[in-house]
Amino acid sequence: MGRGMTCQLFAISFDASQPLRLARFWSGVLGWEAADDPHDGVALLPSDDTGFRIRFLPTRRPKVGQNRMHFDLTSTSLEDQQQTVARALGLGARHIDIGQRPEEGHVVLADPDGNEFCVVGPGNNFLADCGFVGALACDGSQEVGYFWSEALGWPLVWDQDQETAIRSPLGGPKITWGGPPLMPRTGKDRLHFDLAPSVHGDQQAEVDRLLSLGATRVDIGQGEVSRVVMADPDGNEFCVLTPR
């Protein structure tokens, strides 16, 4: 399969108890504009080269345990980091402790729904050429990093000690996987990837390609819907949408 056949990372989707409230929070933190999502929920459109939108989908399930992926936001200076933290706190975030050490130089916060994210201090070489959304940091194996590199057609930009990272050839955030040990699963993931074939693409052909790379189809009680729910080799759910 050529790179032209791969689908795009259309969105990172949050299951949210109050989608509109969470969208307003992240819009305020990131400076992204809200847009009606014609499918369901509410979406934020990037104001930079991030390359994907963020969607907020309604759920009644409470959050259980730590999320398996979170955003790392970058800082240009200590003052910039402090301003981002203060802005997030003013919008409804709170400080949390997930075992981080003071010398690590990042501030760990949770959004109003309890989703963790980090505000990384200045001078982080790994995220140096990334934008404000520096990375989507995921719990995951080396194998799953390889899978997503193939699935999205994004090259590996890090592959060491079972830690992997990929990045779009167009720039934007890195997606990283920290390697073992993996966190225990606590039910359906709160965040997931939404993939979409290009306008002239074929959803079923894309599903078949992803199955050949090691994905599986899963039933999360979605019923008859246009999206196809799948899981990557680590068991993380993701959706393949209709072409767009």
Side-chain angles (χ1 to χ4, degrees):
M1 290 278 182
R3 180 155 291 178
M5 295 297 287
T6 55
C7 47
Q8 60 172 322
L9 177 56
F10 179 73
I12 306 295
S13 290
F14 284 74
D15 287 352
S17 58
Q18 298 180 57
L20 196 57
R21 178 187 180 211
L22 206 56
R24 286 187 183 129
F25 170 83
W26 282 102
S27 175
V29 170
L30 299 177
W32 292 15
E33 292 291 322
D36 279 338
D37 193 308
H39 302 278
D40 43 10
V42 59
L44 299 181
L45 303 182
S47 57
D48 52 24
D49 69 348
T50 295
F52 54 78
R53 61 185 62 195
I54 303 176
R55 302 168 78 210
F56 302 91
L57 308 174
T59 186
R60 292 182 177 170
R61 292 183 308 104
K63 181 177 183 290
V64 180
Q66 189 177 325
N67 288 340
R68 296 169 68 86
M69 59 172 88
H70 68 266
F71 285 120
D72 283 339
L73 307 181
T74 64
S75 308
T76 56
S77 65
L78 280 174
E79 183 184 22
D80 181 48
Q81 183 185 27
Q82 291 162 358
Q83 287 173 347
T84 299
V85 169
R87 185 165 74 248
L89 293 173
L91 290 163
R94 57 188 171 85
H95 287 277
I96 56 169
D97 182 358
I98 57 168
Q100 69 271 22
R101 299 185 300 277
E103 66 271 16
E104 288 174 334
H106 54 257
V107 178
V108 183
L109 302 173
D111 71 16
D113 239 17
N115 301 299
E116 305 84 5
F117 66 101
C118 292
V119 184
V120 180
N124 183 295
N125 292 332
F126 184 66
L127 303 178
D129 61 340
C130 299
F132 182 44
V133 181
L136 183 68
C138 307
D139 186 65
S141 64
Q142 184 180 44
E143 178 191 11
V144 94
Y146 293 168
F147 167 83
W148 282 109
S149 177
E150 288 284 333
L152 296 174
W154 290 15
L156 281 161
V157 293
W158 182 264
D159 184 7
Q160 205 165 304
D161 302 326
Q162 299 191 58
E163 297 178 359
T164 50
I166 62 175
R167 192 181 188 197
S168 167
L170 303 176
K174 293 175 176 174
I175 304 179
T176 69
W177 292 271
L182 302 187
M183 296 185 329
R185 299 197 66 81
T186 54
K188 182 178 179 295
D189 293 322
R190 207 76 182 163
L191 281 75
H192 70 262
F193 295 161
D194 279 326
L195 310 188
S198 61
V199 176
H200 303 296
D202 181 323
Q203 184 186 35
Q204 186 55 51
E206 198 50 50
V207 168
D208 291 343
R209 185 182 71 90
L210 293 163
L211 289 171
S212 76
L213 293 175
T216 52
R217 293 185 75 135
V218 294
D219 182 359
I220 54 168
Q222 65 266 27
E224 289 296 313
V225 291
S226 61
R227 67 186 184 277
V228 178
V229 184
M230 306 186 77
D232 68 21
D234 277 359
N236 304 300
E237 303 98 5
F238 67 94
C239 293
V240 181
L241 310 178
T242 51
R244 56 198 67 194

